[in-house]
Amino acid sequence: MYFNTAGAAPLPNCVVESLSLSMQRELFTGRANKGERSFFQNKLSLLRDLVSSMIGASADEIAITSNTTEAINVIVWGMNLDEGSEILTTNAEHLGALASLSTLHKLRNVDIKFFDCYENNIIFDVHNFFEMITPNTKLIVLSHVFWESGNINPIRDVCIYAKKMGIPVLIDGAQAVGNMPINVKELGVDFYVFPAHKWLLGPEGIGFMYISNDKLATLNQTFAGNASFLSHDGKIDFVPSIGAKRFEIGTRFRPIIDGMITGLDWLTKDIGFSNIYEKTNNNMGIFKNYIDKETSLNLVTNNVSSIASISLPKKINARIVRKELEKLNIYVNDIKRLNSIRVSIGFFNDEEQINKLVNYINKFI
């Protein structure tokens, strides 16, 4: 039983088959045939179309990246941040985001300020957060859903506040896209980044970056490749590609793109995102009810959608519980900082699996 989609989702059969067929095609027909580049560019365009429609953006506002971390790096290093500039974030962010902020601090002496979510019982408070804003605050970096606790943050409220102050907002949507409705225009975000391999059930090595059209000109191209240019004179003069595509660089493993297109097509047409959201939400309701009625345990926070962390008594080590569950072919994650078992519930789970999971956890209490 799999409850760790927040780490990496299981691959659907259709994605595995698509990856395999694409690799077989390259094996028997070659990878650099005439016309292949144009054919592949059309696939990239199709993928941008699929992703943009899923989050309420336009296709030219989407860039294909290797992962969420790369996208965050592209944005923070592309901004004109220098010594004395401040970025406001929280101490509940994933290391993938914190890594880029750490190096930015080290190399450019940009100040990183942290709102303490743990002091506030894992709850993000908009009012208290914005009390930390100063005239030097140039960017807000925040997760839509915290990866450890599953707490859903009020992104629209954050963006409303930030817009009044003229501060751009970068949202890490790694634990949101694919399990809850996302419309970047309604949220009012400037930048929104997310990977394929979690709630979109895609392969590793691919992610996505939304850059609102009105923020495009504020980012420098710190990395560049063939896809970055609409035209190049062969020396040093160039015209950037239209839209967010200008931030795409380097050669890609083409079968991943085929697999991602196949997977999104399956999620959209065969399952339907509205069904996915409803089923995921219902499953979380069932899980929370079992925890409440069948155990003496509590969740770290109840403001959750698809990720919930079960707080364990101090005498019980969460890592040991996680390893024991793995021996039973039950896969979750342990969160050391919270001494909790993190349960990621997808649309493909059911009540029988949830019941078994809770019963097994109960045996350790």
Side-chain angles (χ1 to χ4, degrees), residues 228-241:
S228 308
F229 308 123
L230 188 63
S231 64
H232 196 289
D233 71 348
K235 294 181 180 178
I236 59 172
D237 291 326
F238 66 90
V239 176
S241 292

Side-chain angles (χ1 to χ4, degrees), residues 234-305:
K235 294 181 180 178
I236 59 172
D237 291 326
F238 66 90
V239 176
S241 292
I242 296 172
K245 179 186 174 184
R246 68 185 59 180
F247 298 104
E248 296 180 10
I249 58 172
T251 303
R252 297 198 176 278
F253 183 52
R254 288 180 286 267
I256 290 181
I257 302 301
D258 286 327
M260 195 68 223
I261 291 172
T262 299
L264 285 180
D265 197 55
W266 176 70
L267 290 174
T268 303
K269 297 177 181 178
D270 292 15
I271 309 296
F273 276 107
S274 59
N275 292 326
I276 290 171
Y277 304 147
E278 181 180 4
K279 180 64 174 175
T280 301
N281 187 61
N282 288 342
N283 280 342
M284 180 54 74
I286 291 169
F287 173 74
K288 290 168 70 174
N289 186 62
Y290 271 112
I291 292 294
D292 183 51
K293 303 295 184 183
E294 304 295 333
T295 77
S296 59
L297 301 170
N298 295 306
L299 301 182
V300 171
T301 175
N302 282 303
N303 181 32
V304 296
S305 61

